[in-house]
Amino acid sequence: MRVGAGLLAVAVLLGAQPPEEAGVVPGATTPDSRPGEAFADPVVAQLQRTASDVQRELGSLANDIHAAEQAVRESSAALDKARAAREAADAAVRARQADMDRYAAALLGSYGRPNQFKVFLLARSPSDFLGGSSLMARVQEAETEELTGAIQRHQTAVRAETAASAAAKNATDRKTDLDRRNGDATNRAAALTGEFRATLAQANSAVVAMQQAQRTRNEQTAANWRAYTDELIAAGIKPSANATEVTLPSGERLLVMPETTVRAVTAAVGALGKPYVPQGDGPDAYSCDGLTRAAYGLQGSAAEQMAVLQPVTDPQPGDLAFIGPGRYGVQSVGVVLDPRTMVTADARLVGVVVSDIPTSVLGYARPSLPRRPAQPVPQRTDTGLVWRCGGVDLPTGGWSGYPNGLIPGSALCAIGVGTHRLRCDAAFSFQGLSAAFGTAFGRPLCVTDSYRTFEEQVRLYGVKPALAAVPGTSNHGWGLAVDLCGGAQSSGTAEHAWLRANAGRFGWRNPPWAQPGRGREEPWHWEFGTG
């Protein structure tokens, strides 16, 4: 919904919220096609399948309604044109008839209507008679043709208007039927949201329990690592450039890892519990290859890291484990802790975790050894979805473990404004943006909307299907969009101008479709990391 600048300014002065909007350009999108194993929980996978059915129906109807609206506009314009043409033809017939009536009245009033007998009487010679007869015939024919032509054009215009009226009625009836079907589908979607709410609450509880179990495992691992480094300190052992084995006064043999390895594992263990984000390099959030980039100062993706690191067959703590399976190529990487476990940023679990090294390991490498010239590594041969860091790498920038609008609150991060939450990288970036805004204006950014549940998207779609995104497609549902207030919602304000100049530094933008002159101006809507 758009609001005029004057009305919006008044709303701001009165403390009202900016108008609620769609979130993304309306229209159908491909339903979520991720396989069930891409999700962190099978219950969530079932939610995704049900949501996809709803999206498919609503998306198809949205496209049909858009086409029907266009047909109504075109048929209405055609009817208006045909009606104007028929009215012009009416006028032409009336004008032609009036001309003929005036002509006939003039002739009858002076000489009477011309006929062949009068021509014969007035003719002075046979040639005069023939010429007069021909002229009189041509005058009569012209009068008849002009009137007949006007009548025929009028009849054609009437037929065209009738056809256009029928087409307009058909288009309107089609639009009415689609609106009814869309209302029925929206009602079904709304009914499903009750099921979603209950199921998602169960999924959220499961996620919380899983996170607690993972937190316990993470904490135990971190404690074990601290015990190891404390033991080194207590024994006065300082790691060197190479791995060594020493005998402690107790007689225990202890592996002393290289100094770079100790630093890297300490950094990886210190990141446990931090959120997973697709492009995270720390220190607040990480991707799997971002974690190893941060820990070892490496460059590039997991595959690019594997290509230049020295491979080993006897993995030790601090080595990197590169994960497949081979048909996905090198899709993940973790820091080895022992022969069974590693630290990695997991896309499905949405965090940096201690996990078991899977059987799909493609190889190990030792970052403490000198780099080698880049070598070939397993390449993706699967033509389906792209996997990365243990989950599907979504082109939308969404989540691997959760569908749009069905993300448990426990997998989101607070943005520091009220109860609003976003995907964690967006949340951390927003906090930086808000702090910079506060430095400029003396107050943090004002937010009216952030993560939007599937249920909320259904409700909004039911209110204004012509504007709202099909449920399950909004960037709000990925936790990647906010709606702003406090002056930032209006073009031409100092707050909005500041955002346009500075938000990009934090990964935020007012997308092109929402900018002035694009037909759907929404200056309050900002998105994170969406191109």
Side-chain angles (χ1 to χ4, degrees):
M1 179 184 294
R2 293 184 60 189
V3 175
L7 290 176
L8 190 55
V10 171
V12 171
L13 290 174
L14 294 177
Q17 303 292 354
E20 191 174 36
E21 45 63 68
V24 294
V25 179
T29 61
T30 302
D32 197 332
S33 61
R34 285 174 290 170
E37 63 268 22
F39 295 94
D41 187 286
V43 173
V44 176
Q46 180 57 47
L47 287 180
Q48 175 256 338
R49 287 189 289 271
T50 305
S52 289
D53 291 340
V54 173
Q55 291 164 12
R56 189 175 290 106
E57 181 177 14
L58 290 176
S60 176
L61 284 168
N63 277 345
D64 290 345
I65 288 172
H66 178 74
E69 288 172 343
Q70 182 64 25
V72 168
R73 287 192 293 270
E74 292 175 353
S75 62
S76 295
L79 177 58
D80 290 343
K81 184 177 180 180
R83 182 174 291 118
R86 190 265 306 158
E87 290 173 350
D90 285 346
V93 169
R94 288 194 299 270
R96 186 67 257 164
Q97 186 65 59
D99 287 344
M100 293 188 67
D101 289 346
R102 285 193 296 271
Y103 174 67
L107 287 176
L108 291 172
S110 55
Y111 304 106
R113 187 171 182 82
N115 52 51
Q116 294 286 348
F117 181 70
K118 286 187 176 181
V119 171
F120 175 75
L121 293 176
L122 296 173
R124 298 179 178 177
S125 66
S127 61
D128 285 346
F129 173 74
L130 293 175
S133 297
S134 176
L135 175 61
M136 184 189 69
R138 287 198 299 273
V139 169
Q140 291 176 335
E141 286 178 7
E143 291 176 354
T144 302
E145 286 178 1
E146 289 184 11
L147 179 58
T148 301
I151 292 173
Q152 289 175 342
R153 288 190 294 274
H154 177 265
Q155 292 171 340
T156 300
V158 169
R159 288 193 296 270
E161 182 183 13
T162 301
S165 179
K169 182 179 183 304
N170 288 338
T172 301
D173 290 346
R174 165 73 170 161
K175 173 65 167 52
T176 300
D177 179 63
L178 286 170
D179 286 340
R180 178 190 58 76
R181 290 167 53 194
N182 187 68
D184 292 342
T186 303
N187 289 337
R188 288 194 297 274
L192 283 173
T193 61
E195 174 189 346
F196 284 176
R197 190 187 310 115
T199 307
L200 192 58
Q202 297 173 4
N204 188 67
S205 298
V207 170
V208 170
M210 180 178 62
Q211 287 177 334
Q212 182 56 54
Q214 186 67 60
R215 189 177 300 115
T216 300
R217 187 180 190 186
N218 292 350
E219 290 172 351
Q220 184 60 56
T221 298
N224 292 341
W225 180 253
R226 284 194 302 271
Y228 168 77
T229 56
D230 289 347
E231 192 171 18
L232 292 179
I233 295 171
I237 299 171
K238 185 176 181 180
S240 60
N242 301 307
T244 59
E245 192 173 89
V246 299
T247 302
L248 299 176
S250 63
E252 178 187 357
R253 301 289 295 175
L254 180 66
L255 174 67
V256 181
M257 288 174 280
E259 181 183 9
T260 56
T261 300
V262 172
R263 286 201 307 266
V265 175
T266 299
V269 169
L272 288 171
K274 296 291 181 66
Y276 166 87
V277 296
Q279 306 301 328
D281 284 324
D284 297 314
Y286 295 88
S287 65
C288 58
D289 38 22
L291 178 65
T292 53
R293 284 194 296 269
Y296 278 106
L298 300 174
Q299 302 292 322
S301 65
E304 291 168 330
Q305 294 173 24
M306 185 179 184
V308 299
L309 294 178
Q310 291 287 350
V312 294
T313 56
D314 58 335
Q316 298 177 1
D319 290 346
L320 300 189
F322 295 96
I323 310 302
R327 69 180 186 277
Y328 295 149
V330 185
Q331 62 96 5
S332 188
V333 60
V335 179
V336 173
L337 296 176
D338 58 45
R340 296 183 300 102
T341 61
M342 66 180 183
V343 175
T344 188
D346 189 283
R348 293 202 316 150
L349 301 180
V350 202
V352 180
V353 299
V354 176
S355 70
D356 295 336
I357 297 174
T359 57
S360 58
V361 63
L362 299 174
Y364 299 92
R366 188 159 296 157
S368 60
L369 296 176
R371 305 290 189 266
R372 62 176 179 168
Q375 300 295 311
V377 298
Q379 298 295 316
R380 176 173 178 263
T381 58
D382 189 287
T383 58
L385 297 169
V386 177
W387 288 70
R388 179 168 174 264
C389 296
V392 175
D393 190 15
L394 296 179
T396 60
W399 294 68
S400 295
Y402 303 100
N404 184 298
L406 297 172
I407 304 170
S410 54
L412 297 164
C413 289
I415 67 172
V417 179
T419 59
H420 292 290
R421 303 177 75 83
L422 293 171
R423 196 177 75 179
C424 290
D425 54 343
F428 293 134
S429 180
F430 184 86
Q431 290 174 16
L433 175 63
S434 183
F437 181 89
T439 300
F441 292 95
R443 64 184 188 279
L445 279 167
C446 173
V447 181
T448 62
D449 199 9
S450 52
Y451 170 67
R452 188 178 292 162
T453 67
F454 188 88
E455 181 176 11
E456 290 167 339
Q457 294 179 54
V458 168
R459 179 190 59 75
L460 181 59
Y461 185 83
V463 172
K464 43 185 176 181
L467 289 177
V470 171
T473 67
S474 169
N475 272 326
H476 282 288
W478 289 124
L480 294 173
V482 293
D483 295 339
L484 303 179
C485 49
Q489 76 276 25
S490 304
S491 298
T493 64
E495 292 87 350
H496 192 267
W498 185 93
L499 284 168
R500 292 194 62 81
N502 295 280
R505 294 190 292 113
F506 298 87
W508 289 87
R509 66 168 188 163
N510 180 229
W513 60 262
Q515 294 175 14
R518 303 299 182 94
R520 283 186 68 233
E521 183 176 346
E522 293 183 359
W524 55 85
H525 179 80
W526 293 77
E527 297 179 351
F528 176 75
T530 53

